[in-house]
């Protein structure tokens, strides 16, 4: 019989009480938890233990969460390990920064254990962010079908007319349901790094896209102060 390995989750959190609560709840869900109290220790355990997921507090003494995330995501060996960033609720700029340097998701303090367990489940299920390979990819979500290779989008079987940018935007978002992307990230993915545009430019494309989607526009959710995501409910 083959034993199924428990998902290994590394938690970097300097507040002992919070660390204990997180550890207890993940342990109860059947995860193997590695607890670290600071960034330096966390980073070295990420490299030696190769966890399936990292829960990373942003505010840490010494090396902070941003630096840990930056190092994990810039190393080809550890880059694919998903990171959930833990932030204070008021720190919208930190959320944007965290997602901008490659964190896979975030959870704002204070959070309930149930909320944390749910986020962990979602991130483990979808695995690391896979880069899109060229054209030809077909994504089906609820009544929507987006075929990038054929430059075709359909809503309830009916063709809808999208601009190339709207097509790429919809395809990219729908390829990663439940994942929040910053405006800057979306701009670089669907318009290109060289375009002389501002972050708000993406709002114009989203607005136009939503109009064309009619009732299905609810799939594209605005995450206040952060960016956009394709609804998780479509899976
Ligand atoms: Ca902290």
């Amino acid at each position: 019989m083959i034993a199924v390995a428990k998902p290994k989750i590394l938690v970097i959190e300097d507040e002992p009480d919070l660390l204990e609560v997180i550890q207890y709840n993940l342990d109860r869900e059947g995860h193997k938890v590695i607890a670290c109290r600071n960034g330096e220790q966390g980073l070295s355990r990420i490299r030696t233990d190769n966890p399936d997921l990292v829960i990373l507090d942003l505010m840490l003494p010494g090396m902070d969460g941003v630096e840990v995330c930056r190092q994990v995501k810039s190393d080809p060996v550890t880059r694919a390990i998903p990171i959930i960033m833990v932030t204070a609720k008021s720190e919208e700029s930190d959320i944007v920064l965290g997602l901008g340097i490659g964190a896979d998701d975030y959870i704002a303090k204070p959070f309930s254990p149930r909320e944390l367990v749910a986020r962990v489940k979602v991130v483990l299920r979808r695995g690391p962010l896979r880069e899109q390979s060229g054209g030809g990819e077909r994504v089906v979500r609820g009544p929507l079908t987006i075929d990038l290779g054929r430059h075709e989008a359909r809503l309830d079987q009916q063709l809808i007319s999208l601009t190339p940018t709207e097509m790429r935007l919809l395809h990219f978002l729908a390829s990663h349901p439940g994942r929040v992307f910053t405006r800057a990230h979306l701009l670089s993915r669907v318009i290109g790094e060289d375009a002389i545009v501002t972050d708000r430019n993406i709002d114009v494309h989203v607005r136009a896209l939503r109009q064309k989607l009619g009732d299905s526009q609810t799939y594209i959710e605005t995450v206040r102060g952060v960016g956009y995501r394709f609804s998780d409910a479509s899976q």
Side-chain angles (χ1 to χ4, degrees):
M1 209 164 106
I2 303 162
V4 178
K6 288 180 178 182
K8 209 192 298 178
I9 302 179
L10 191 137
V11 184
I12 310 176
E13 172 61 67
D14 60 313
E15 290 164 51
D17 294 351
L18 186 54
L19 183 59
E20 201 180 311
V21 170
I22 294 174
Q23 196 165 9
Y24 171 80
N25 282 281
L26 293 179
D27 193 64
R28 212 175 50 167
E29 287 295 305
H31 303 305
K32 183 182 186 318
V33 182
I34 302 165
C36 298
R37 301 280 284 275
N38 63 61
E40 289 82 358
Q41 187 199 7
L43 190 59
S44 96
R45 291 294 299 264
I46 290 169
R47 288 171 176 152
T48 54
D49 291 62
N50 190 32
D52 296 292
L53 170 68
V54 175
I55 295 174
L56 173 62
D57 187 22
L58 196 67
M59 299 289 282
L60 295 166
M63 186 189 286
D64 67 7
V66 170
E67 187 52 31
V68 174
C69 182
R70 213 189 295 273
Q71 295 213 20
V72 169
K73 294 298 179 183
S74 63
D75 183 345
V77 178
T78 54
R79 183 179 291 161
I81 300 171
I83 293 180
I84 298 179
M85 198 86 112
V86 179
T87 66
K89 201 152 214 144
S90 57
E91 297 166 347
E92 277 179 356
S93 58
D94 288 340
I95 296 169
V96 173
L97 175 67
L99 293 172
I101 57 171
D104 297 72
D105 205 346
Y106 71 91
I107 187 163
K109 287 179 185 176
F111 53 83
S112 68
R114 183 188 292 191
E115 202 181 338
L116 176 76
V117 166
R119 297 314 301 162
V120 164
K121 208 171 278 179
V122 169
V123 173
L124 283 177
R125 189 180 60 206
R126 72 186 176 216
L129 174 65
R130 277 172 287 276
E131 293 301 312
Q132 299 300 305
S133 57
E137 270 204 66
R138 192 162 167 272
V139 178
V140 181
R141 303 275 177 239
L144 277 168
T145 304
I146 309 115
D147 192 327
L148 206 57
R150 298 172 68 170
H151 273 274
E152 234 180 58
R154 286 176 187 269
L155 179 61
D156 290 324
Q157 316 296 334
Q158 299 296 309
L159 272 177
I160 43 176
S161 162
L162 301 182
T163 66
T165 300
E166 290 162 2
M167 181 81 75
R168 284 194 299 272
L169 178 62
L170 181 61
H171 183 269
F172 184 70
L173 286 171
S175 299
H176 308 99
R179 186 175 162 138
V180 187
F181 293 101
T182 62
R183 291 179 170 83
H185 192 155
L186 290 173
L187 272 177
S188 74
R189 292 308 300 248
V190 306
I191 298 181
E193 311 266 7
D194 301 333
I196 306 165
V197 285
T198 65
D199 280 8
R200 295 290 153 188
N201 188 280
I202 210 78
D203 298 349
V204 177
H205 293 291
V206 168
R207 203 175 311 134
L209 183 56
R210 278 179 172 154
Q211 261 168 24
K212 293 178 182 179
L213 294 180
D215 291 346
S216 293
Q217 65 177 267
T218 50
Y219 280 118
I220 301 176
E221 300 171 343
T222 302
V223 182
R224 228 180 123 224
V226 181
Y228 296 99
R229 94 179 139 215
F230 200 85
S231 168
D232 227 355
S234 62
Q235 294 192 105

